[in-house]
Amino acid sequence: MNPEKKLTLSKITLNRPQQKIGLPPKITLNKQLDSRPQSSKIDIQSVNINWLVDNIQQENKLEWIQKCYVFFKDWTQNTECNDQCKEQILKQSIQLIDFNDLQVRLYAIKAALFGFTTLNLLDLLFQKQAKPLLRRPKSGSKIQEQLPSLLYQPQQILAILQKTAQLSNENVFLNLINDNSLSFVLFRILKLFTQLPKDQATTSQQLPYLNLIFIIIKNIANNQKEAQKLLQPTYIQLIDNYLHSFPYDQTFEKDLLNLYTTITATLRNLANENNSVEMYLQNGIIKKLVISMVNYSNNYELILNTLRIMSKMSLSKECCEYFLQSTEAMQNISSFFKTYQTNIYIIIRASFLLANMTTYFEGIRQLIYYKFNQFGDILKCFDYYWTKEINPQQLNQIDQFSQSRAAWDFQILQSEKDIDALIRIIRLIANILTIEQIGLDILKNYSNEYRILISKLLKLLQKNTIITKQQEIISCTLSCLSNLTFYEKQTFLNDFEYKNIKYELITTLGHFIIQNEDQEICCDGLRVLSNLSRQKDLIKQIMKSRISEGVIVLLDSNSREVVYYCLGVILNLLQDQDFKKKENINIIDYITQVLNDCTTNENDIANLGLKCLILLLDSNLNQEYANKIETAVQTFGNVCDQVLKVKENNELSNTRQLINQIINNIPEEGYPCMQPNCGRKFKSQMELQIHINRRHKL
């Protein structure tokens, strides 16, 4: 039996490559909601400059620095103060950054940064010669206010950012964040920096500041509440302005790559939030991810961050469509199976991303196989992780890439295992195999690799047998086997070793089919068995293993999918006369019950059942069962007729034709010869007696 292949699960078809529509299992981008610190907002009353100066040495440092923070935050409302007072409170704020109380340190950081941003920050950081700093004149005045210049040196701001970056890596510090003011002041600085020219000298000078700012923002994004506040167009657009926006120059290449890596790490953390896909699509981030893949495919950490974002985004068909527009990016990702073969973190995400894309678009399957010619590298990558899973002692390689990871990445990713990579690679292979032209090409030109792949998938099934704990690897392995075996109409005649693998596979399938723990796995196993049952030399083994008996019993299942695939297997098995003779009575009981339970919306199941009954009709059929078949098909035929009277339905019309064929071919009531090994029937008792006298009496 070999019906047309389709690529959806909504319409169940028989003996076809089963693409896993409905996306592959999610890769969680390390979103750990329970571990993200939460906080509450604190109200702080504003205060005038005189109070701050008078109380600069008070013991309650937290109260003083909180009020100082509010003062600098609302600087424009505090115009009545002299230079000396400002210098005093800003100096004290900077000193408190090293205070032993974390909450004091947080407010000191915010107060100092707000204080600096109220000055002409760009002149402060990037002036070529030291000069007095001027503040905008007060309303109605033409006199600029000159500020003391000795205090406000660039190294002061750099030191503050460095200390903040160190503190922001600690959960205890993040837990103290009670509003978005720290993020706000950082993005205010970023916005100021956009005014700078992008010449070589200025770019080189600002990169250290930018990198530290994005390190802090990245760490803040690990706080769920703060991350939600950062996911707004204004902030995302500012981030987009800095990613891949500077001209390349060898003199600051390392600093530039560090910046881009930090920015992608920030976007990776923000990608955990629910509205990140929409926000990234609307604000140009998706385009920048593609640029990462095209221009920086050899930079490990940048690529890992980008892949982690893209894998999350690939759950959206719209994002996948955008990725697919860049053939170069797709080719680079496909090449990772060779260049990053031993790097489990890259491979997991590249496989997941491409599996999602091959789910949505047929074109990417053909690109990978034909234009990129990467299917062989994908198979080699599968072999590598299969060996690590099945025979780990054979591999002594050390993953040099994993040793280069940043500490924060290691802690997040270290739980991932070789089996996770295998699952995603197998799912990708299964999706590629849904193209018939590709499947036939593999069978014809790579028959040895084809047989090896089946044998290795069999080993995975034999190792992973606990359905409740190993459902994912079992399901995708069976799906891949279903797609592979679809293209093989007959066993390689001279390959006895391969034939034994097929026998072993049939025996192994029984464990996954005859169980009631997981219906999806049962269906996956039945699809493989259905393809194998098309080969005549394997039907004997299916009967010998007694799995065929279990398939018949499963016709009583409450799952329509299980019943459908069981009927497909039985239809193939009925091509064998020994099976038909042995199981005909048992099968008729189950199939007639299936017909009695069917509605006109389940005519796909009914059609398979009717086709099975057609093969069961012959002259040796017991009259009792002939009547049973006739009653069942006529009852279902009447239901079909009622629907067809109301409206035309081509599918039901085809079902009605099958019903008519059965009714017309049901043998008339007769008298069977009961002598051993005879079984002939006669229209009358007299004809039977004449036959017995002539043939059986000596």
Side-chain angles (χ1 to χ4, degrees), residues 360-612:
Y360 288 127
F361 304 107
E362 180 178 325
I364 184 64
R365 302 173 219 160
Q366 305 216 29
L367 281 175
I368 292 171
Y369 190 83
Y370 292 111
K371 186 170 183 178
F372 303 158
N373 195 26
Q374 297 288 351
F375 189 73
D377 291 331
I378 294 173
L379 284 182
K380 289 177 183 176
C381 193
F382 164 81
D383 289 340
Y384 174 79
Y385 287 99
W386 181 89
T387 303
K388 288 188 74 176
E389 179 67 18
I390 302 297
N391 299 310
Q393 67 277 7
Q394 292 185 15
L395 292 175
N396 297 315
Q397 292 174 285
I398 297 175
D399 183 0
Q400 299 296 333
F401 291 108
S402 66
Q403 295 182 340
S404 70
R405 291 192 307 274
W408 45 266
D409 240 356
F410 175 74
Q411 292 175 356
I412 291 171
L413 301 178
Q414 63 181 337
S415 62
E416 293 175 344
K417 298 179 174 61
D418 298 322
I419 194 70
D420 299 315
L422 267 177
I423 288 169
R424 285 147 185 84
I425 297 171
I426 293 170
R427 205 171 285 282
L428 173 60
I429 293 172
N431 281 359
I432 293 173
L433 286 169
T434 55
I435 303 293
E436 185 170 6
Q437 186 181 359
I438 292 175
L440 293 175
D441 184 69
I442 293 172
L443 191 63
K444 179 181 178 181
N445 299 316
Y446 304 96
S447 59
N448 188 52
E449 289 82 354
Y450 171 89
R451 284 174 279 187
I452 291 173
L453 180 56
I454 286 183
S455 67
K456 289 187 173 181
L457 291 172
L458 170 61
K459 292 290 185 184
L460 280 177
L461 284 180
Q462 291 172 332
K463 181 177 181 181
N464 299 280
T465 58
I466 306 174
I467 294 174
T468 54
K469 295 181 179 180
Q470 299 164 315
Q471 190 272 347
E472 195 174 0
I473 182 65
I474 294 170
S475 180
C476 69
T477 302
L478 288 170
S479 294
C480 194
L481 279 168
S482 173
N483 294 2
L484 278 167
T485 54
F486 171 77
Y487 300 104
E488 188 182 351
K489 303 300 189 294
Q490 62 181 20
T491 305
F492 296 91
L493 298 177
N494 299 323
D495 193 335
F496 296 105
E497 182 181 353
Y498 179 59
K499 188 176 288 188
N500 287 332
I501 289 173
K502 287 289 191 69
Y503 289 168
E504 202 173 341
L505 175 58
I506 289 170
T507 304
T508 303
L509 286 174
H511 172 75
F512 302 105
I513 293 174
I514 315 302
Q515 50 84 20
N516 57 9
E517 295 175 273
D518 193 302
Q519 289 184 356
E520 182 182 351
I521 284 180
C522 177
C523 289
D524 289 335
L526 286 167
R527 280 192 285 267
V528 181
L529 187 64
S530 181
N531 290 338
L532 295 176
S533 63
R534 295 174 303 170
Q535 301 172 29
K536 291 183 179 180
D537 55 331
L538 295 181
I539 291 179
K540 304 298 183 186
Q541 181 64 23
I542 293 173
M543 294 175 62
K544 183 179 179 181
S545 67
R546 302 189 67 181
I547 191 174
S548 55
E549 298 175 20
V551 171
I552 294 171
V553 172
L554 282 174
L555 288 173
D556 198 33
S557 171
N558 292 326
S559 167
R560 66 180 303 276
E561 287 80 12
V562 170
V563 172
Y564 180 87
Y565 289 115
C566 284
L567 287 171
V569 174
I570 291 169
L571 184 59
N572 290 339
L573 293 176
L574 284 172
Q575 307 296 327
D576 182 86
Q577 292 301 318
D578 290 339
F579 177 79
K580 184 191 297 185
K581 185 176 180 181
K582 178 183 178 184
E583 303 288 357
N584 63 340
I585 300 301
N586 200 15
I587 295 173
I588 290 171
D589 280 332
Y590 280 101
I591 292 181
T592 52
Q593 185 58 50
V594 168
L595 281 177
N596 291 334
D597 294 338
C598 272
T599 67
T600 53
N601 293 326
E602 299 172 314
N603 59 301
D604 53 345
I605 293 178
N607 287 349
L608 276 179
L610 292 169
K611 290 175 182 178
C612 290

Side-chain angles (χ1 to χ4, degrees), residues 51 54-65 92 96 99-101 104:
W51 187 93
D54 293 343
N55 293 274
I56 201 167
Q57 298 300 329
Q58 75 168 27
E59 290 186 10
N60 191 341
K61 300 299 183 186
L62 180 59
E63 179 189 9
W64 185 88
I65 195 62
Q92 180 67 3
L96 288 177
F99 197 70
N100 57 9
D101 183 280
V104 171

